[in-house]
Amino acid sequence: MKRLVVLGAGTAGTMVVNKLRHKLSRSDWDITVVDQDDTHLYQPGLLLLPFGVYTEDELLKPRHRFVPDGVDLVLTEIDRVDAEANQVHLADGTVLDYDYLVIATGTSPRPDQTPGMDGEEWRKSVFDFYTLEGAKALRDKLATWEGGRLVMHLVEMPIKCPVAPLEFTFLADAFFEERGMRDKVDITYVTPLEGAFTKPVASKHLGGMFEQRNIHLEGDFMVESVDNERKVLVSMDEREVPFDLLVTIPLNMGADFVARSGLGDDLNYVPVDKQTLLSKAHDNVFALGDASDIPASKAGSVAHFSVELFVENFLQHIEGRPMTHLFDGHANCFIESGHGKGLLIDFNYETEPLPGKYPIPGIGPFTLLEESHANHWGKLGFRWAYWNVLLKGRPMPVPALMSMAGKHTD
Ligand SMILES: Cc1cc2nc3c(=O)[nH]c(=O)nc-3n(C[C@H](O)[C@H](O)[C@H](O)COP(=O)(O)OP(=O)(O)OC[C@H]3O[C@@H](n4cnc5c(N)ncnc54)[C@H](O)[C@@H]3O)c2cc1C
């Protein structure tokens, strides 16, 4: 028997076990997947929960429901991997031997990494929304907040869903406008980037949307600390941004066990080949989804497209053949822009987001880099597709590799 062990039953790990259980014979392959708990959280919903669009119940489902027959689900924390011995040590003392290992343990917000962030004001006037607890606390705060200086801040890239802070800012603008209190709220977007986003064309476009909405952008801001007493963000170059309500995306880091196992970079991401997702250090270890160091967006869409190609590559690799399904960094992200509208961006390692129609060239129904109601409905509809199609490893009607069809290059 050969043994495949998958660490993490989130977006990527769940898709992997569903797809590979169909492809690997049960008489030859044992598949085990490990996660720390039995609750699968639909993370994209955390953006909308603070504005009352979703309730907590709509974002949670039992994890085991998405793990297929013939795959062992082990629910305990991962302590470390001994990649020389091909073993995973779990916190309860169990040791799992493997022939092949997939690390899909994602990335998490780490407020403890910025001085003062999780201090006195944490979840009083300093909030995150990348955790369920944070999103719920922020929802309660927004329900009664009477206005003042709202600061949306991100510590450092990469973060998962790099458009989420932009979306939060647009949604907040619309939320306060719809409540008739926009004139009582001053919105500032504080980022370590020069502009609104990492890619120049999209950054210019999104920066223009900030201007139209009277949102001030404070760029090149490398945070040094959060001063709880004075309620100011302080930068390394001694700039200060005062706030009454700070919504921050803390530093995102891969799982600590990756560092303990000597498998990670400075931020605990596993260095892999960006086209095959194979570890640079171990020929029987892959890292998928947010856990790897590939220079693509950390997004569910990237997890989805790369897993499709990984499955084909894995079947080649175990037979000793070269891997030929090379990942191009394809990402697509809906960007909520408020008032029932949104944008969509579609890009890869080489091509930045361009205007056009997606997925059917000339028709859509989604518009690229332009606001539309269809994009907003696409974002809301995705939750159904996530639970019913994507996680179960069923085919989605969009190609894994990015296509230039329907995109305008001039
Ligand atoms: C607010 C927000 C909005 C988002 N919006 C979008 C969007 O609109 N579109 C999009 O494509 N993506 C979006 N994303 C990003 C998307 O959710 C992630 O990129 C995706 O879930 C990554 O999948 P993953 O499998 O790599 O990690 P995850 O889905 O996070 O899974 C990792 C799993 O590993 C487990 N784990 C970690 N450490 C351990 C350990 N030590 N022991 C045991 N188990 C462990 C965790 O419990 C978890 O189940 C959003 C994310 C957030 C936070």
Side-chain angles (χ1 to χ4, degrees), residues 8-13 34-37 43-44 46-47 63 76-78 104-107 129-130 160-161 164 167 255 257 288-291 298-301 303 332 334 379 386:
T11 311
V34 186
D35 207 296
Q36 56 204 351
D37 58 44
Q43 297 180 53
L46 296 176
L47 168 74
R63 208 181 285 290
T76 186
E77 206 179 321
I78 301 147
T105 37
T107 183
F129 64 91
Y130 269 39
K160 56 183 153 186
C161 197
E167 297 181 276
F257 82 84
L288 301 178
D290 296 347
K298 294 196 180 296
S301 61
N332 59 35
F334 287 108
K379 173 114 181 171
Y386 183 83

Side-chain angles (χ1 to χ4, degrees), residues 100-267:
Y100 291 90
L101 182 71
V102 171
I103 301 177
T105 37
T107 183
S108 305
R110 295 289 297 266
D112 57 307
Q113 299 291 311
T114 301
M117 188 173 278
D118 58 358
E120 267 290 291
E121 288 299 315
W122 184 241
R123 298 200 176 144
K124 290 184 189 147
S125 61
V126 179
F127 291 83
D128 74 316
F129 64 91
Y130 269 39
T131 59
L132 184 59
E133 290 314 311
K136 286 195 299 181
L138 183 53
R139 173 197 59 200
D140 297 344
K141 179 78 180 181
L142 287 176
T144 56
W145 196 51
E146 288 176 355
R149 288 165 302 195
L150 168 67
V151 173
M152 177 69 238
H153 163 247
L154 53 146
V155 171
E156 183 55 298
M157 300 301 284
I159 56 169
K160 56 183 153 186
C161 197
V163 296
L166 293 164
E167 297 181 276
F168 184 88
T169 310
F170 294 138
L171 289 171
D173 168 73
F175 177 82
F176 295 125
E177 200 176 298
E178 282 158 16
R179 297 190 145 209
M181 57 181 282
R182 181 63 181 90
D183 57 338
K184 293 196 185 126
V185 183
D186 204 32
I187 307 182
T188 304
Y189 189 84
V190 180
T191 168
L193 301 172
E194 200 185 318
F197 194 53
T198 46
K199 313 268 173 182
V201 175
S203 182
K204 198 162 157 240
H205 193 87
L206 294 160
M209 288 174 63
F210 274 176
E211 276 166 35
Q212 285 160 15
R213 289 163 170 78
N214 200 15
I215 294 164
H216 174 68
L217 182 113
E218 184 79 31
D220 293 318
F221 191 98
M222 300 304 302
V223 71
E224 191 214 43
S225 63
V226 180
D227 184 331
N228 283 249
E229 228 160 81
R230 292 166 54 233
K231 290 199 185 174
V232 284
L233 273 177
V234 184
S235 72
M236 304 276 187
D237 59 4
E238 291 172 13
R239 275 181 285 159
E240 293 193 343
V241 177
F243 61 83
D244 297 302
L245 175 54
L246 174 65
V247 180
T248 185
I249 315 290
L251 186 70
N252 280 202
M253 290 178 74
D256 282 339
F257 82 84
V258 172
R260 281 200 294 278
S261 311
L263 292 174
D265 63 13
D266 289 352
L267 289 171

